[in-house]
Amino acid sequence: MIYLQMIESEEDKVKFEEIYLKYKALMFYTANKILHNEQDAEDAVHMAFIKIAENIEKIDALDCPKTRSYIVTIAEHKAIDIYRKKNRHKQNEYLEEINGIEVTHDGDNLLTKSILNLPARYREVILLRYYHGYSVREIAALFDISLVAASKLDQRAKKKLKELCEKEGIL
């Protein structure tokens, strides 16, 4: 087990082995419930065990609810990290939804209508940044512009959106 190489004392190695045998199935179940993908759940459990190995000295009793909660929480957090990473950038949605030509929206959400009334470049920045979760640095790379220019574009898009929202009576 590669995890044991991270642990120095023999006592902690034995403790880690017991944790591994006792909790691996529960950790996998927890991660798979969040990710709905066995390979991703295995990755989450692996990353959780690395975290546990790094913090093995914080674990006292193996059978107490506090230890179980700690281990399940680590597995959940690692699964959520993987989930966020996988769902952060949805390229197909970007290409189809905000191509700058025509965007439609059914409904009466005033904020959405204001976003749709933005100039195409501003609308793209707002959607990439706040809907799809791209950073300003990533937007700069997508638009092939400098970080400063992307930051300024983001600032101008927010300013224009604020003006449109005030006009619509949202703010």
Side-chain angles (χ1 to χ4, degrees):
M1 290 179 37
I2 196 168
Y3 310 112
L4 295 178
Q5 295 174 356
M6 300 173 63
I7 303 171
E8 294 182 17
S9 76
E10 286 301 316
E11 181 182 312
D12 286 343
K13 287 182 181 184
V14 170
K15 186 188 328 179
F16 183 85
E17 287 178 13
E18 291 174 4
I19 289 170
Y20 182 85
L21 294 173
K22 182 170 180 75
Y23 292 107
K24 67 179 179 182
L26 176 61
M27 292 169 70
F28 178 80
Y29 173 79
T30 301
N32 196 34
K33 193 172 181 182
I34 293 168
L35 296 167
H36 306 290
N37 181 309
E38 290 185 9
Q39 290 80 18
D40 290 340
E42 289 172 0
D43 290 344
V45 170
H46 169 70
M47 292 188 315
F49 274 120
I50 290 173
K51 184 76 167 178
I52 291 168
E54 291 171 350
N55 297 294
I56 193 71
E57 67 280 349
K58 293 181 181 179
I59 299 173
D60 295 324
L62 298 180
D63 290 326
C64 77
K66 185 177 178 182
T67 299
R68 177 187 161 114
S69 175
Y70 177 71
I71 290 170
V72 169
T73 300
I74 291 174
E76 285 176 342
H77 287 198
K78 295 303 176 182
I80 290 168
D81 289 346
I82 290 172
Y83 179 83
R84 286 180 179 153
K85 188 174 183 179
K86 289 188 77 147
N87 292 315
R88 185 169 185 194
H89 305 297
K90 297 180 180 176
Q91 289 293 333
N92 291 339
E93 289 182 27
Y94 165 67
L95 294 174
E96 293 176 16
E97 285 184 13
I98 54 174
N99 56 15
I101 297 171
E102 181 183 351
V103 181
T104 59
H105 170 70
D106 295 331
D108 58 354
N109 185 327
L110 294 176
L111 176 61
T112 304
K113 287 180 181 178
S114 296
I115 292 171
L116 294 177
N117 287 330
L118 286 170
R121 187 88 160 170
Y122 290 169
R123 183 175 61 243
E124 290 173 353
V125 169
I126 294 292
L127 291 175
L128 283 171
R129 181 98 165 97
Y130 302 101
Y131 180 75
H132 294 288
Y134 282 74
S135 69
V136 174
R137 185 176 307 279
E138 292 168 323
I139 292 170
L142 283 171
F143 287 169
D144 197 26
I145 57 177
S146 71
L147 181 59
V148 173
S151 180
K152 193 65 176 174
L153 187 60
D154 179 49
Q155 183 182 21
R156 288 179 183 152
K158 288 188 290 188
K159 182 180 178 185
K160 184 68 173 174
L161 181 59
K162 182 180 177 187
E163 290 172 5
L164 291 172
C165 287
E166 286 172 349
K167 187 177 175 182
E168 289 288 331
I170 297 172
L171 296 177

